[in-house]
Amino acid sequence: MSSDARARVGAPAPLGLRDRDVLLAFVLGLAIAICWRNHAAVSFSDFSADVFKARSGIGAAELLAIAVLATLAFRFGDDGLLTASDLSTIAVTSLAFAFPLRLAASLPLVVVGMKLLFRRDPRASSFGQILLALAFYEWLGPAIFHLLSPWVLKVETIAVQAVLTPMGGFARDDLVISNGGDHSIMIEEGCSAFQNVSLASLIWISLLKLDTLTMRTADLWICAAMAAATIALNTIRVALMAQSYPMYEFWHNGAGVPIVSIAMLSAMLVICLSGLRITATR
């Protein structure tokens, strides 16, 4: 432990603020920033249009992550676990929360997340892990996926074709699946399971940190199982959409959309909660 860290342990923060208070204020600023609507100019480039899509509000997974972050902050109690460097970094990067731009929250998420990730105290390192998972779900993941999408979408198209092969009559042409008649679909970025995989990762790390602050190899297998389930369900959904135009409308625009969403979320929760219960008994 550095001399700076030793001086911080058990000592009150400047102005009488405890580390817990600073982190709770950070979480509040993060929640507000995520509610901002992005105003990125979609005409700037294809990358901007696909990655920096205008949206606002906090989804269920984001709300869960923010609630767990607040819970971790409360677990700090009166302990002084953050160094002066940590507090300075949080204070400076948190200024980005003041800008009415959802994307601005990516800076404090990544910087503070990396700063706390390697702390010895599991409360601080867990806080950093969730921040990075949230940053990946919100911004880094979509950016990386957009760059890799030509290869990822081709693999997903091949997977859909494999599901349809036993039925016969379906053909694949690059990213297009045809039923051999007058109906075909093209798998685009919005149809990919990648976003659901990053969603599964965020739910996994959030629930894991509610259960335990440590991470074991078995916990990584739980995350992999959640990702595999979401990919399988999305592949089946796309295969159903390829059957006919009415099936496409049902599973892409109709009642099939909430059905798939509920099925994916249920699968994630069942796998994660049952997996954590099993690993806890070993």
Side-chain angles (χ1 to χ4, degrees), residues 8-251:
R8 283 279 311 143
V9 174
L15 303 178
L17 291 176
R18 296 165 293 185
D19 289 352
R20 179 182 68 184
D21 303 325
V22 174
L23 291 178
L24 285 173
F26 181 87
V27 172
L28 177 60
L30 172 62
I32 294 174
I34 291 181
C35 285
W36 289 124
R37 186 174 180 85
N38 275 345
H39 295 287
V42 296
S43 60
F44 179 74
S45 66
D46 290 339
F47 184 85
S48 174
D50 290 329
V51 177
F52 304 141
K53 293 179 179 178
R55 56 177 174 158
S56 61
I58 299 178
E62 295 160 317
L63 184 60
L64 172 63
I66 288 173
V68 176
L69 286 172
T71 301
L72 289 174
F74 275 112
R75 290 185 183 180
F76 273 61
D78 294 328
D79 295 340
L81 303 177
L82 303 180
T83 65
S85 175
D86 294 333
L87 294 172
S88 298
T89 300
I90 292 173
V92 172
T93 58
S94 294
L95 296 175
F97 292 150
F99 293 94
L101 182 66
R102 187 183 178 106
L103 180 63
S106 60
L107 175 63
L109 273 176
V110 174
V111 175
V112 177
M114 289 299 298
K115 197 80 168 57
L116 300 181
L117 181 62
F118 301 104
R119 287 289 178 269
R120 290 185 178 180
D121 190 280
R123 290 169 291 181
S125 60
S126 296
F127 198 93
Q129 290 167 15
I130 296 180
L131 287 182
L132 292 177
L134 187 55
F136 183 81
Y137 172 71
E138 282 281 338
W139 299 281
L140 299 180
I144 294 173
F145 171 64
H146 182 71
L147 296 175
L148 299 179
S149 60
W151 298 277
V152 175
L153 292 177
K154 183 167 292 187
V155 171
E156 293 194 56
T157 307
I158 293 173
V160 172
Q161 182 188 27
V163 171
L164 293 171
T165 296
M167 303 178 188
F170 291 88
R172 179 180 66 87
D173 181 13
D174 195 22
L175 302 182
V176 176
I177 298 287
S178 172
N179 67 353
D182 58 354
H183 178 67
S184 63
I185 62 171
M186 180 176 182
I187 301 181
E188 299 177 334
E189 291 189 18
C191 303
S192 176
F194 185 89
Q195 182 176 354
N196 295 321
V197 170
S198 60
L199 174 66
S201 301
L202 182 59
I203 293 176
W204 164 74
I205 192 66
S206 299
L207 293 178
L208 174 64
K209 294 308 174 179
L210 274 180
D211 182 66
T212 176
L213 297 179
T214 59
M215 188 180 298
R216 297 161 292 186
T217 303
D219 296 323
L220 298 176
W221 283 109
I222 294 174
C223 182
M226 292 171 67
T230 59
I231 292 173
L233 287 172
N234 190 74
T235 301
I236 293 173
R237 174 192 175 225
V238 176
L240 290 171
M241 289 162 51
Q243 304 294 314
S244 64
Y245 183 75
M247 290 282 280
Y248 170 84
E249 280 294 315
F250 180 84
W251 292 105

